[in-house]
Amino acid sequence: MLPTFVRSIPDGSEKGDFIALDLGGSNFRILRVKVSHEKKQTVQMESQIYETPEDIIHGSGSRLFDHVAECLGDFMEKQKIKDKKLPIGFTFSFPCAHTKLDEAVLLTWTKRFKASGVEGMDVVKLLNKAIKKRGDYDADIMAVVNDTVGTMMTCGFDDQRCEVGIIIGTGTNACYMEELRHIDLVEGDEGRMCINTEWGAFGDDGTLEDIRTEFDREIDRGSPNPGKQLFEKMVSGMYMGELVRLILVKMAKEGLLFEGRITPELLTKGKIETKHVSAIEKYARRLHKTVRRLVPESDVRFLLSESGSGKGAAMVTAWASRLADQTRQIAETLAEFRLTEEQLLEVKKRMRTEIQNGLSKNTQSTATVKMLPTYVRSTPDGTENGDFLALDLGGTNFRVLLVKIRSGKRRTVEMHNKIYAIPIEVMQGTGDELFDHIVYCISDFLDYMGMKNTRLPLGFTFSFPCRQTSLDAGILVNWTKGFKATDCEGEDVVSLLRDAIKRREEFDLDVVAVVNDTVGTMMTCAYEEPTCEVGLIAGTGSNACYMEEMRNIETVDGVEGRMCVNMEWGAFGDNGCLDDIRTQYDNAVDDLSLNAGKQKYEKMCSGMYLGEIVRNILIDLTKRGFLFRGQISETLKTRGIFETKYLSQIESDRLALLQVRSILQHLGLDSTCDDSIIVKEVCGAVSHRAAQICGAGMAAVVDKIRENRGLDHLDITVGVDGTLYKLHPHFSPIMHQTVKELAPNCNVNFLLSEDGSGKGAALITAVGCRLRQQEQKS
Ligand code: ADP
Ligand code: MG
């Protein structure tokens, strides 16, 4: 049961020009195999047989391999390919231990071979050494296979269902595709690998004694390897003639044959050859019949292999060389997504520069990271109290919430909410239509709660960049994510909401605060954990906020205390400062987006785009022939089809490849096992980079806070929300790790926010109401 490291049968996409060496059968042959791909896959072969004299087979190993190398040189000379380094497949039909496809340690010679100093050695090394010694040509041995494997591969070329190979010739042996999870010797559980059974040795431990006859024992005693290959000696061609002869001798002796006459010929060992027995025809038929009788539940078909050992070796070589080339090219592609620590530090540094630009008066108007003041001046102190309405717009769902906050010894927050759909035509229609729809939803919610007659204070979580001049005024700078309603950019969204409430003439509300979801998240966590002074969103979009010193916020009067700044860091890179790490795939995603050229950082690290990056890489790899048999399906062409939730599923450690395959199947992507491995790698590269650059941005923020406060060491909590952060299996740990590495002087604690945009908006509204009352008093 020797692993062969052959991982797949031919899939019909093999092509190229190969050399096959075939050593171990009755002849030593060298073949040139050209597999081409015009319309139909065709195989063209030329071969030559070389003598392998007895003295070479039984001489020293180095002499044997010198001979092989010499014949190979001669063959290449005749084929005029001595200057080409064609990939070579080596059919070496002896039991070998593989650790790779192109490494094969001979365990023991069998059949008539006996060259010294080869057992226990890697035959690829021996052959390479012999070729190097000659120095007149170069060779690239890609694969060593057994003749059984070659046979299976050859038949597999014509019929993909062929997953077993049997040799019944001089010797006998078999191989088959085994599930990798059953092969303890080889790492990995996914997919299959061909196992060379070496079943000729079956019975060597005595398990066949009850069926072996006196003739079998006599054959064994007279063989060069007594006690070995007992099954082979009962089954294969090398001994069949002799078996017949021994039986005939006995029958003659007993007078049952030849009138008891025993001729000298009959007593001559080897006189009867298997070809004389000439039972091949019947042998095959009997074999088929027996197999079918013993496994009636399986439908076994037998296919005769044509020049299995040569063509099959070429197939394995084609597969191996393509795999090697493909693996290299895919690795190169994905390497663009692996950022070095240096690059990440550079991202952190640039974020810091952009933060400064956003805060400073004279650069603020052109800054990409806008650093918008939120007029939230403090985190909650526990005295917040009352019933509040909250709206959450800008995420995947639009929600209306009623939040009941109770202060005192036992602080409680009770929430009721309802989700409403925002049809795409409303999202991308006029501003009035959008806000009328919002107010309609509020109306429905108030009916549902039976609260239409109270003038509730309302917090409006509006997760888009807004330039605020007070807690309850915010001018939309520009839409992001999927939104595109007209006549809103440049307008105060609170006024738009108030106007729509008036238009409806059904109820009244007191809009107290417009809130970004990052701020809501920070506030929600700060309510439980006072050290929380940063908010982070890793959901549809990516954004952060934190408590900045007033003296640093040049766009707001006053130098005392702190104010929360909505960074709008998603736009980081919009001035080209990330172009050196962006890839062609990021460009493609940007080009196809609603807001091309904008939110470049967000497009590298948020839920709305990760799947799209993956899809664009998959398209490219498919175009290059590495995936999905080179067929770009309609599915793959569909924008948004590869949602980020699939990344989470595919990258889940608990998921077997088969399940990855079924996810892809579900997406309409017909994938092989190898495809699934590649897709998983692609997903991993994309989400890994996303988590790292998000971490680099966060490292810039916490280090700035530390410096603001003149501390050598900062302990701080970041409140986080977002489905990408919550559900992706690797995003959060990698992000945490990156922050740790890039901001070593900060001890950053991440706290998951529970419903930041709802609860947070209510808390901010509560704080707003309290401040208002204080103002009125004074
Ligand atoms: P939002 O950011 O819109 O307020 P969420 O935080 O729920 O809302 O994020 C939703 C986004 O998260 C979706 O647009 C999608 O990109 C991504 N997402 C959804 N499911 C998953 C998942 N299982 N794993 C990772 N990301 C997901
Ligand atoms: Mg959200």
Side-chain angles (χ1 to χ4, degrees):
M1 301 301 275
L2 301 167
T4 64
F5 288 79
V6 170
R7 302 278 313 253
S8 95
I9 51 172
D11 69 359
S13 62
E14 295 73 15
K15 60 178 164 204
D17 198 350
F18 308 97
I19 294 175
L21 299 176
D22 180 6
L23 186 70
S26 34
N27 291 311
F28 170 42
R29 286 191 313 157
I30 303 183
L31 305 88
R32 177 153 180 210
V33 185
K34 289 187 207 169
V35 190
S36 65
H37 239 302
E38 272 131 36
K39 278 187 205 146
K40 217 178 128 265
Q41 198 175 29
T42 52
V43 182
Q44 196 192 330
M45 291 201 289
E46 289 168 73
S47 77
Q48 189 169 341
I49 291 176
Y50 289 89
E51 294 285 319
T52 38
E54 214 58 16
D55 59 323
I56 286 184
I57 289 178
H58 295 150
S60 76
S62 62
R63 213 170 135 220
L64 171 65
F65 283 94
D66 284 346
H67 175 68
V68 172
E70 187 186 331
C71 298
L72 180 57
D74 173 76
F75 183 78
M76 288 167 84
E77 179 94 57
K78 286 189 180 133
Q79 290 278 330
K80 302 195 176 61
I81 46 173
K82 230 172 170 174
D83 53 335
K84 292 186 191 169
K85 200 176 161 185
L86 295 186
I88 297 175
F90 187 9
T91 302
F92 184 73
S93 307
F94 302 95
C96 288
H98 282 264
T99 46
K100 290 188 288 192
L101 192 58
D102 61 350
E103 193 185 288
V105 172
L106 175 65
L107 295 175
T108 164
W109 285 118
T110 57
K111 295 172 269 193
R112 54 197 180 98
F113 282 70
K114 208 79 207 167
S116 62
V118 184
E119 288 175 348
M121 305 290 285
D122 173 9
V123 295
V124 175
K125 272 209 188 103
L126 294 178
L127 181 53
N128 273 331
K129 206 163 118 192
I131 292 170
K132 205 169 242 154
K133 200 161 79 188
R134 297 176 56 83
D136 59 338
Y137 65 90
D138 213 356
D140 186 7
I141 302 163
M142 308 267 336
V144 179
V145 296
N146 193 276
D147 51 357
T148 54
V149 181
T151 297
M152 180 189 77
M153 292 295 276
T154 304
C155 292
F157 182 71
D158 296 320
D159 184 342
Q160 283 236 332
R161 288 167 299 179
C162 178
E163 296 186 82
V164 182
I166 316 182
I167 296 282
I168 303 163
T170 308
T172 184
N173 192 10
C175 70
Y176 71 101
M177 297 301 289
E178 176 59 277
E179 305 300 318
L180 207 48
R181 63 175 187 279
H182 295 157
I183 309 174
D184 289 346
L185 283 171
V186 181
E187 250 176 70
D189 282 340
E190 315 289 3
R192 299 186 182 145
M193 181 180 285
C194 182
I195 286 284
N196 169 15
T197 64
E198 287 295 336
W199 76 9
F202 181 35
D204 290 8
D205 60 354
T207 45
L208 292 176
E209 285 320 298
D210 55 339
I211 62 163
R212 286 177 76 228
T213 64
E214 56 182 293
F215 310 108
D216 295 311
R217 291 180 222 282
E218 192 173 340
I219 293 257
D220 181 45
R221 278 195 298 276
S223 72
N225 53 350
K228 296 252 163 69
Q229 303 290 102
L230 297 186
F231 182 66
E232 178 167 82
K233 284 168 186 163
M234 297 166 79
V235 167
S236 73
M238 190 162 166
Y239 301 100
M240 195 165 295
E242 188 61 7
L243 257 179
V244 171
R245 187 185 66 83
L246 292 177
I247 297 168
L248 296 188
V249 169
K250 178 159 190 219
M251 292 175 85
K253 274 185 182 159
E254 289 174 1
L256 299 171
L257 266 179
F258 312 135
E259 295 164 349
R261 270 192 295 121
I262 301 171
T263 60
E265 280 82 9
L266 199 56
L267 285 176
T268 311
K269 203 175 159 190
K271 194 69 192 177
I272 302 183
E273 292 177 34
T274 301
K275 69 180 175 199
H276 300 131
V277 178
S278 167
I280 301 305
E281 193 48 43
K282 278 188 194 140
Y283 189 108
R285 248 194 286 147
R286 286 233 171 102
L287 171 70
H288 301 174
K289 242 176 147 168
T290 310
V291 170
R292 286 183 185 127
R293 207 177 59 225
L294 292 178
V295 282
E297 62 279 17
S298 302
D299 178 19
V300 185
R301 298 193 317 126
F302 292 85
L303 214 62
L304 197 59
S305 144
E306 275 176 64
S307 51
S309 25
K311 190 166 155 187
M315 287 304 150
V316 176
T317 308
W319 172 74
S321 64
R322 196 188 48 173
L323 198 69
D325 182 53
Q326 180 177 313
T327 306
R328 188 179 46 75
Q329 290 199 46
I330 293 172
E332 275 169 16
T333 298
L334 296 185
E336 290 184 61
F337 287 83
R338 303 230 181 281
L339 302 178
T340 61
E341 172 141 8
E342 248 173 357
Q343 285 174 304
L344 289 169
L345 278 169
E346 191 56 36
V347 172
K348 176 190 172 194
K349 195 171 129 202
R350 291 174 195 168
M351 178 66 93
R352 179 62 183 267
T353 307
E354 300 304 319
I355 288 175
Q356 205 50 54
N357 288 340
L359 289 173
S360 304
K361 202 160 202 157
N362 39 13
T363 45
Q364 172 269 333
S365 62
T366 55
T368 52
V369 178
K370 292 185 194 70
M371 305 300 288
L372 302 166
T374 64
Y375 292 83
V376 169
R377 302 286 310 262
S378 68
T379 48
D381 64 4
T383 62
E384 295 74 14
N385 194 53
D387 292 356
F388 307 92
L389 211 53
L391 300 180
D392 178 11
L393 181 76
T396 319
N397 295 311
F398 169 54
R399 293 182 312 154
V400 186
L401 306 94
L402 177 68
V403 187
K404 298 182 174 185
I405 305 177
R406 296 293 173 265
S407 59
K409 263 209 180 125
R410 281 200 62 232
R411 302 188 314 186
T412 56
V413 180
E414 188 187 316
M415 302 210 289
H416 305 268
N417 78 86
K418 217 170 154 186
I419 292 175
Y420 294 90
I422 298 195
I424 188 138
E425 60 272 18
V426 173
M427 245 155 78
Q428 297 173 13
T430 71
D432 281 356
E433 280 164 358
L434 174 63
F435 279 88
D436 283 344
H437 180 73
I438 290 171
V439 172
Y440 157 78
C441 296
I442 299 174
S443 164
D444 177 82
F445 182 75
L446 291 174
D447 281 338
Y448 169 72
M449 298 298 306
M451 297 190 78
K452 237 181 193 152
N453 300 318
T454 29
R455 186 173 183 262
L456 288 168
L458 178 136
F460 184 12
T461 298
F462 183 77
S463 307
F464 301 95
C466 281
R467 223 172 267 293
Q468 287 184 250
T469 48
S470 64
L471 194 58
D472 64 348
I475 293 165
L476 174 63
V477 180
N478 52 262
W479 287 118
T480 57
K481 297 174 266 191
F483 283 74
K484 202 95 198 156
T486 57
D487 309 317
C488 295
E489 293 181 349
E491 300 292 324
D492 173 16
V493 293
V494 175
S495 303
L496 294 178
L497 179 61
R498 284 181 181 140
D499 291 349
I501 294 173
K502 270 194 204 117
R503 275 202 297 278
R504 195 167 176 99
E505 289 183 344
E506 228 184 81
F507 53 87
D508 196 15
L509 292 171
D510 176 18
V511 186
V512 177
V514 57
V515 178
N516 190 270
D517 54 353
T518 53
V519 186
T521 298
M522 180 188 79
M523 294 294 270
T524 306
C525 290
Y527 188 63
E528 316 289 343
E529 169 54 63
T531 60
C532 178
E533 297 185 84
V534 184
L536 171 68
I537 297 284
T540 305
S542 176
N543 193 13
C545 71
Y546 70 97
M547 297 304 289
E548 178 56 279
E549 308 300 319
M550 278 295 278
R551 63 171 193 278
N552 292 338
I553 310 174
E554 295 181 10
T555 49
V556 181
D557 289 338
V559 291
E560 290 300 316
R562 296 177 184 151
M563 182 183 280
C564 181
V565 172
N566 166 18
M567 296 177 69
E568 286 300 332
W569 81 6
F572 178 38
D574 288 6
N575 58 1
C577 75
L578 293 177
D579 286 357
D580 56 338
I581 62 164
R582 290 175 74 246
T583 65
Q584 63 175 107
Y585 311 105
D586 296 303
N587 285 329
V589 170
D590 183 41
D591 287 346
L592 293 171
S593 68
L594 277 177
N595 52 350
K598 299 254 164 67
Q599 302 289 103
K600 289 189 177 169
Y601 182 64
E602 173 165 271
K603 284 172 185 166
M604 296 168 85
C605 64
S606 80
M608 187 162 176
Y609 305 100
L610 296 192
E612 269 299 280
I613 303 175
V614 168
R615 188 180 69 88
N616 278 282
I617 300 174
L618 297 186
I619 289 179
D620 182 50
L621 294 183
T622 308
K623 272 188 192 154
R624 288 154 72 188
F626 303 153
L627 268 180
F628 307 132
R629 294 168 203 193
Q631 301 296 311
I632 300 183
S633 58
E634 283 307 311
T635 315
L636 207 51
K637 285 186 211 156
T638 313
R639 210 170 77 191
I641 188 79
F642 210 99
E643 291 174 47
T644 299
K645 70 173 178 204
Y646 296 121
L647 264 77
S648 291
Q649 290 176 14
I650 288 171
E651 289 183 66
S652 157
D653 295 325
R654 292 193 310 268
L655 209 65
L657 266 201
L658 216 58
Q659 290 167 286
V660 174
R661 234 169 126 179
S662 81
I663 294 170
L664 295 175
Q665 216 99 43
H666 168 79
L667 279 170
L669 298 169
D670 193 9
S671 67
T672 63
C673 205
D674 290 338
D675 289 342
S676 317
I677 295 174
I678 297 169
V679 171
K680 194 168 176 170
E681 274 175 21
V682 171
C683 292
V686 170
S687 61
H688 194 267
R689 185 191 65 165
Q692 283 193 322
I693 63 166
C694 179
M698 186 45 70
V701 172
V702 292
D703 244 358
K704 171 131 192 7
I705 297 175
R706 183 180 61 80
E707 285 171 32
N708 280 346
R709 302 179 188 181
L711 298 171
D712 293 332
H713 182 87
L714 175 74
D715 284 305
I716 198 161
T717 298
V718 178
V720 199
D721 199 357
T723 304
L724 175 62
Y725 180 88
K726 283 185 201 163
L727 293 188
H728 190 282
H730 308 307
F731 185 91
S732 61
I734 295 168
M735 199 264 283
H736 298 169
Q737 184 59 29
T738 309
V739 174
K740 205 171 181 169
E741 282 167 16
L742 301 186
N745 297 322
C746 300
N747 177 29
V748 185
N749 169 35
F750 290 89
L751 197 62
L752 201 59
S753 139
E754 274 190 57
D755 197 8
S757 20
K759 196 162 151 185
L763 285 167
I764 292 167
T765 306
V767 173
C769 289
R770 193 178 65 211
L771 290 176
R772 209 197 267 164
Q773 280 155 11
Q774 280 165 2
E775 263 168 43
Q776 280 162 358
K777 271 186 212 147
S778 61

